[in-house]
Amino acid sequence: MKNTNEANFQLMRFNILSTSLANQESSPFSSAYIYAWDAGVYPLFNDGADWHKPFNAQFKVTESEIDELSKLLDENWLAKKPITFYELEDHFDVKGTSYTNSNWERWKLITACRYMYLQELFDTDFWASLVENGKCPSEALSICRPFKLTDIYFM
């Protein structure tokens, strides 16, 4: 059954991404939703679309992981307590690109945060603190980059 679900996931991913590329001006999908499918992040905050719901296990960043991260970020945002990316890594016991004691890795934190940024969760000051120069790895700077359809990479 896993192979069937994976095949269906890849077909759905292809359909969503190719539809977005074919109809850039009138794509029915938000940038955040397109990015989530492209990057493998479960699009938890896209309730209007439900094409992702049968495929939680196929996303590289699962529903429970994006929920866990969003709750932590939301708590910090509501408390007006900015968090840096390195503090985020410390919280999840991620030590750079080579060591982790959790399900989280640097790339997962970056892609999950980018999805939430594109979904316009939290404010610009919060995101600016997260990716403050010197308090985040250089690859985390991509979190706050605008999304372009040319970023889509079929792999």
Side-chain angles (χ1 to χ4, degrees):
M1 184 62 132
K2 184 177 187 244
N3 289 339
T4 302
N5 238 8
E6 180 64 27
N8 287 334
F9 172 78
Q10 291 300 335
L11 283 170
M12 183 62 73
R13 181 176 181 271
F14 178 80
N15 284 330
I16 287 170
L17 296 178
S18 61
T19 297
S20 300
L21 286 172
N23 300 309
Q24 293 180 14
E25 297 296 318
S26 61
S27 175
F29 309 113
S30 70
S31 293
Y33 195 70
I34 297 166
Y35 174 78
W37 276 94
D38 185 49
V41 177
Y42 185 86
L44 180 65
F45 303 105
N46 292 95
D47 293 335
D50 61 0
W51 297 285
H52 57 277
K53 291 183 179 178
F55 303 112
N56 182 41
Q58 280 70 39
F59 284 94
K60 297 171 191 169
V61 181
T62 65
E63 179 180 14
S64 62
E65 289 170 331
I66 197 79
D67 188 46
E68 173 188 30
L69 177 60
S70 68
K71 285 178 181 174
L72 173 70
L73 295 179
D74 192 47
E75 288 170 9
N76 280 271
W77 181 67
L78 290 172
K80 299 197 184 313
K81 182 183 158 210
I83 186 170
T84 69
F85 192 85
Y86 287 139
E87 290 171 335
L88 193 61
E89 283 189 324
D90 287 345
H91 177 83
F92 289 109
D93 204 18
V94 173
K95 307 296 181 216
T97 58
S98 58
Y99 177 78
T100 184
N101 262 343
S102 69
N103 288 337
W104 288 101
E105 296 177 50
R106 178 176 282 176
W107 69 268
K108 284 175 86 170
L109 289 171
I110 290 170
T111 56
C113 285
R114 181 151 164 73
Y115 163 68
M116 288 186 275
Y117 171 81
L118 292 170
Q119 190 63 36
E120 299 179 355
L121 301 180
F122 317 117
D123 57 32
T124 54
D125 290 339
F126 182 82
W127 291 113
S129 294
L130 186 80
V131 297
E132 185 178 339
N133 198 12
K135 297 184 179 179
C136 72
S138 60
E139 58 265 42
L141 296 173
S142 67
I143 291 169
C144 298
R145 194 180 73 231
F147 179 75
K148 298 177 287 186
L149 290 176
T150 55
D151 294 337
I152 293 174
Y153 180 68
F154 285 100
M155 54 177 198

